[in-house]
Amino acid sequence: MLSSCYASIMRTMQLLARKGGAGKTTLALHLAVAAATAGRSVAIVDADEQASALAWASRRDPDALPILVVAGGRDLALTVARIDAELVIVDSPPSARTRGAWQPDRIVVPVQPSALDLAALGATLDLLGGRELDAMAVLTRCPPRSPEIDEARAYIGRLGLRVAQTTIGERRDYARALAAGAAATENAPRSRAAQEITDLLNEVLK
Ligand SMILES: Nc1ncnc2c1ncn2[C@@H]1O[C@H](COP(=O)(O)OP(=O)(O)OP(=O)(O)O)[C@@H](O)[C@H]1O
Ligand SMILES: [Mg+2]
């Protein structure tokens, strides 16, 4: 079950990683759908010119929640301020910046537990500009029972970034659901993917 203690604490969350293909859009959409399904009023903001989230929404029933809003870089602060929702989840491009007019309450950094992805994490940390306390790394595309997961957790911790207890596995259910304009919690509600997204949502919104 989704815990209910967070809504008043945080409203905006940004998925951020300088590494292309880190898993930002996959997590943004899955977290947003899970929160909406749990009864929250949620908006996804697609701030990426690649418009992957918009393309997903276009495959979805137009009445299905959550709503999706498209925002260009300069409009982000204004766009987010005008959205009437309890929770706003922003999917950003690899070139995103956190400094500037708009600051999210929470930053979620997807990282794959591989040497190349961990090496690229420094570029994302540079963007945080001292806001590490508002940020949380999430290990994603994790292989099953791999020692690399604990090693990655320890490495990221040494960089001064919290790491979510919940790990996201390498699972086809994520891409399959998104290809159908859905999320794994909708298409495969009993799957490991659905369970770990629900766990992650509870954790990142605490
Ligand atoms: N947990 C997962 N299991 C399996 N495949 C995944 C998982 N997460 C992401 N992927 C796949 O990895 C690819 C990149 O994911 P995604 O588009 O979410 O990354 P991104 O950070 O948004 O990329 P970009 O920087 O281009 O916006 C996609 O093909 C997606 O289906
Ligand atoms: Mg993306």
Side-chain angles (χ1 to χ4, degrees), residues 50-172:
Q50 293 180 99
S52 317
L54 178 63
W56 169 82
S58 72
R59 295 191 289 273
R60 196 165 168 78
D61 177 342
D63 297 326
L65 295 172
I67 62 162
L68 182 132
V69 177
V70 175
R74 288 189 179 174
D75 301 325
L76 195 51
L78 197 58
T79 304
V80 171
R82 284 179 173 166
I83 293 172
D84 181 18
E86 275 175 64
L87 176 63
V88 179
I89 298 183
V90 178
D91 181 29
S92 28
S95 57
R97 302 183 180 287
T98 58
R99 294 171 197 172
W102 183 69
Q103 296 282 1
D105 297 327
R106 174 65 50 90
I107 299 165
V108 175
V109 180
V111 193
Q112 296 173 31
S114 77
L116 288 180
D117 289 70
L118 291 170
L121 193 56
T124 303
L125 287 174
D126 288 345
L127 283 182
L128 295 180
R131 299 194 61 221
E132 284 78 5
L133 282 180
D134 299 327
M136 183 182 266
V138 176
L139 289 167
T140 188
R141 302 195 70 167
C142 294
R145 293 178 297 280
S146 150
E148 282 81 5
I149 297 172
D150 284 341
E151 289 165 17
R153 189 183 289 288
Y155 176 87
I156 297 168
R158 286 196 295 276
L159 295 179
L161 195 57
R162 277 184 300 158
V163 186
Q165 277 304 315
T166 308
T167 56
I168 301 295
E170 166 77 28
R171 304 187 197 285
R172 286 190 187 165

Side-chain angles (χ1 to χ4, degrees), residues 4-15 31 35 40-41 85-90 102-108 131 134-136 162 200-206:
S4 58
C5 58
Y6 56 76
S8 58
I9 302 169
M10 62 90 61
R11 187 178 99 90
T12 57
M13 182 195 307
Q14 182 177 19
L15 276 290
L31 289 170
R40 304 282 157 182
S41 76
E86 275 175 64
L87 176 63
V88 179
I89 298 183
V90 178
W102 183 69
Q103 296 282 1
D105 297 327
R106 174 65 50 90
I107 299 165
V108 175
R131 299 194 61 221
D134 299 327
M136 183 182 266
R162 277 184 300 158
L200 181 65
L201 181 67
N202 281 324
E203 202 179 340
V204 296
L205 294 183
K206 246 181 227 160

Side-chain angles (χ1 to χ4, degrees), residues 19-26 28 46 48 50-53 91-94:
K19 182 97 172 58
K24 297 176 286 294
T25 303
T26 300
D46 190 348
D48 185 357
Q50 293 180 99
S52 317
D91 181 29
S92 28

